[in-house]
Amino acid sequence: MDQDDFYTDDTRNARVRVIRHPAALRPGTYPAPVRAYPPAVYSPAPMYQPAVYPGYAPAPMQAPVIVQRSTRFADLTNGEVIALAAQAFAALQSLPASPAPVGDVETDVSNLIAYQSALATHAKRDEQLRTVGALVAKLLA
């Protein structure tokens, strides 16, 4: 029996003393503590026979075909191009100019009301352009 080997079949509560030869260690290394673990008991997983059908031979497996869609602009359909153009046109529309404060409360309030209605009209037109672009894209797809 080698001095580094030990067995833990003994149920006593005594520690096992392991003596190592100092010549077996390299300079600058220290022996690692040895921990005794009980032997593991493994039960094998149940083995099932594959289903076999008489007169049937399975087809050989084929490698999957991976199709990657190109991301070039030329590969877009006409509907996608129209939808992108409508979105770009809607995004490039300028906002209405904001009113400058005059100092009169009534004039400033009426200017702000007119500005907010112009903003609402702009948002509505923007959404209409995007919706028409999306509808045309669906019709052409």
Side-chain angles (χ1 to χ4, degrees), residues 80-108:
E80 291 174 341
V81 171
I82 291 174
L84 286 175
Q87 286 184 1
F89 183 69
L92 293 176
Q93 284 186 342
S94 61
L95 290 171
S98 62
V102 178
D104 183 26
V105 174
E106 291 179 17
T107 307
D108 287 343

Side-chain angles (χ1 to χ4, degrees), residues 10-11 15 19 22 40 51 62 65 67 71 77 92 106-107 124 141:
D10 193 2
T11 58
R15 293 183 181 249
I19 300 173
Q62 296 179 352
V65 177
V67 178
T71 58
T77 63
L92 293 176
E106 291 179 17
T107 307
K124 183 177 180 180

